[in-house]
Amino acid sequence: QVQLVESGGGLVQAGGSLRLSCAASGRTFSSYDMGWFRQAPGKEREFVAAIRWSGTTYYTDSVKGRFTISRDNAKNTVYLQMNSLKPEDTAVYYCAFRIVNGRTYYYGRIPEYDYWGQGTQVTVSS
């Protein structure tokens, strides 16, 4: 079993920055694709960003140019650098890992992922 532990959330003013981290521990015997999702109160969980094992990245339109996803394979860790934050970015952010299996990677779909972090709150004040 794999556990994902998130950190880096908090309260920030609009225009500010935060960096989220998500590290995997436990029986990490596989290669992973990694993603970030977020969920605002009363809303569905939505895709934010993903990074494939190869390093290819994907972003939802609303965060392009502001957020950067990266990874450190040696540490089994994924990061989300969030700049120019807006109040509408306020949400609980969840990291997710997908075991690479050679099949098509539907990076924006929740069922694709095998492991999820506990969530970390990001609040952006106006």
Side-chain angles (χ1 to χ4, degrees):
Q1 185 60 264
V2 174
Q3 298 82 44
L4 306 184
V5 180
E6 301 182 32
S7 63
L11 174 64
V12 66
Q13 293 185 16
S17 298
L18 285 173
R19 190 192 194 206
L20 307 183
S21 298
C22 174
S25 63
R27 299 188 180 278
T28 55
F29 302 126
S30 302
S31 298
Y32 304 100
D33 301 308
M34 303 172 178
W36 288 95
F37 291 74
R38 66 187 180 187
Q39 187 168 20
K43 293 189 175 182
E44 295 290 317
R45 191 170 300 187
E46 66 172 349
F47 169 75
V48 177
I51 183 166
R52 299 179 72 163
W53 177 246
S54 64
T56 302
T57 59
Y58 307 90
Y59 299 93
T60 192
D61 286 344
S62 64
V63 309
K64 288 180 180 176
R66 300 189 298 121
F67 291 11
T68 302
I69 188 171
S70 62
R71 63 189 293 162
D72 184 338
N73 289 338
K75 298 179 179 179
N76 257 333
T77 299
V78 63
Y79 305 94
L80 186 68
Q81 178 67 47
M82 305 184 293
N83 299 326
S84 301
L85 283 161
K86 304 175 180 180
E88 48 263 48
D89 295 318
T90 295
V92 176
Y93 283 69
Y94 299 89
C95 61
F97 281 31
R98 171 186 180 269
I99 299 171
V100 175
N101 57 19
R103 299 180 184 274
T104 301
Y105 178 30
Y106 297 102
Y107 54 83
R109 288 188 161 271
I110 290 171
E112 281 289 290
Y113 296 88
D114 300 288
Y115 304 103
W116 290 84
Q118 80 280 8
T120 185
Q121 177 70 48
V122 172
T123 302
V124 184
S125 62
S126 60

